[in-house]
């Protein structure tokens, strides 16, 4: 049975051609893009034992220079915000550290707005401040913050799509990194 519900977004082959999905078991930090996003906490401090597998892999791949730079960074990030560091030993030149919201059902709209702002701030900083043309996007919320994965995924995809529609010539490639 065909759905009578109109699609939320028209098919745009020009935008779809710029999007890739990375769902491999090996290190997503080895993707050759200009910048990558990663989840962070407000203090931009590594939390040993509490960090996700992706965060731990990022630090191992980027090297000790990343941790030193994060400790020395004066600009800290608020929930929904982004702080930029060098890529260090990654193929990416920059890392966009975003602070995702804690999810509570009764504050669902506020959580969604904060999560949306994570991606908007990362994309905006990547293209406007850093002149990046390609970006790999990892989830902005860690599991311990309780954001439902399906809802967080929809916010991410919808936000990136709207960014690409509004600024169609700013990015050549967007790679969504997902758990395999």
């Amino acid at each position: 049975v065909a759905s009578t519900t109109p699609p939320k977004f028209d098919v745009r082959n020009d935008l779809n051609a710029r999007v890739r999905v990375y769902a491999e078991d090996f290190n997503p930090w080895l993707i050759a893009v200009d910048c990558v996003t990663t989840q962070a906490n407000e203090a931009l401090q590594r939390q040993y034992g509490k960090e996700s597998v992706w965060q731990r892999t990022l630090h191992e791949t980027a090297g000790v220079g990343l941790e030193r730079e994060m400790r020395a960074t004066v600009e800290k990030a608020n929930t929904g915000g982004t702080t930029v560091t060098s890529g260090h030993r990654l193929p990416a030149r920059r890392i966009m550290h975003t602070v995702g919201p804690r999810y509570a059902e009764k504050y669902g709209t506020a959580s969604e707005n904060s999560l949306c702002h994570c991606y908007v701030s990362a994309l905006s900083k990547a293209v406007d401040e850093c002149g990046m043309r390609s970006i790999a996007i990892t989830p902005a919320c860690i599991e311990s913050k309780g954001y439902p994965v399906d809802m967080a995924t929809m916010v991410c995809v919808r936000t990136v799509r709207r960014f690409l529609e509004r600024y169609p010539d700013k990015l050549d490639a967007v790679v969504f990194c997902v758990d395999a």
Side-chain angles (χ1 to χ4, degrees):
V1 177
S3 173
T4 58
T5 306
K8 293 190 185 242
F9 297 103
D10 292 332
V11 173
R12 294 264 317 259
N13 291 329
D14 61 320
L15 300 181
N16 292 346
R18 298 173 196 193
V19 176
R20 303 285 182 273
V21 175
Y22 177 88
E24 300 292 330
D25 288 334
F26 62 94
N27 195 335
W29 309 112
L30 299 177
I31 299 171
V33 290
D34 294 330
C35 63
V36 296
T37 69
T38 187
Q39 51 196 282
N41 57 39
E42 291 87 349
L44 292 181
Q45 298 300 309
R46 189 170 177 188
Q47 295 182 316
Y48 293 94
K50 294 182 181 180
E51 61 195 357
S52 71
V53 172
W54 283 21
Q55 288 172 310
R56 188 172 51 255
T57 308
L58 168 66
H59 284 275
E60 291 169 358
T61 307
V64 295
L66 173 59
E67 198 165 344
R68 278 192 223 117
E69 183 178 356
M70 288 174 67
R71 267 190 255 123
T73 299
V74 175
E75 177 192 355
K76 302 302 178 198
N78 295 321
T79 300
T82 300
T83 299
V84 182
T85 63
S86 169
H88 297 276
R89 294 187 338 205
L90 302 182
R93 292 182 294 162
R94 297 279 186 270
I95 302 170
M96 307 293 164
H97 303 267
T98 63
V99 181
R102 184 166 301 285
Y103 183 80
E105 191 172 341
K106 68 180 182 177
Y107 301 116
T109 302
S111 296
E112 183 175 326
N113 289 339
S114 290
L115 184 56
C116 177
H117 198 267
C118 285
Y119 296 112
V120 170
S121 67
L123 290 163
S124 297
K125 283 189 178 197
V127 298
D128 294 335
E129 293 178 23
C130 303
M132 304 285 109
R133 301 291 305 173
S134 60
I135 186 168
I137 296 178
T138 63
C141 282
I142 57 175
E143 295 165 8
S144 66
K145 290 193 172 188
Y147 214 112
V149 173
D150 57 341
M151 291 171 61
T153 302
M154 287 306 300
V155 171
C156 176
V157 170
R158 185 179 61 231
T159 303
V160 171
R161 168 64 188 248
R162 288 182 176 151
F163 186 89
L164 289 173
E165 285 177 337
R166 190 165 184 184
Y167 307 104
D169 57 346
K170 294 278 188 176
L171 286 168
D172 298 327
V174 176
V175 180
F176 290 103
C177 300
V178 297
D179 241 345

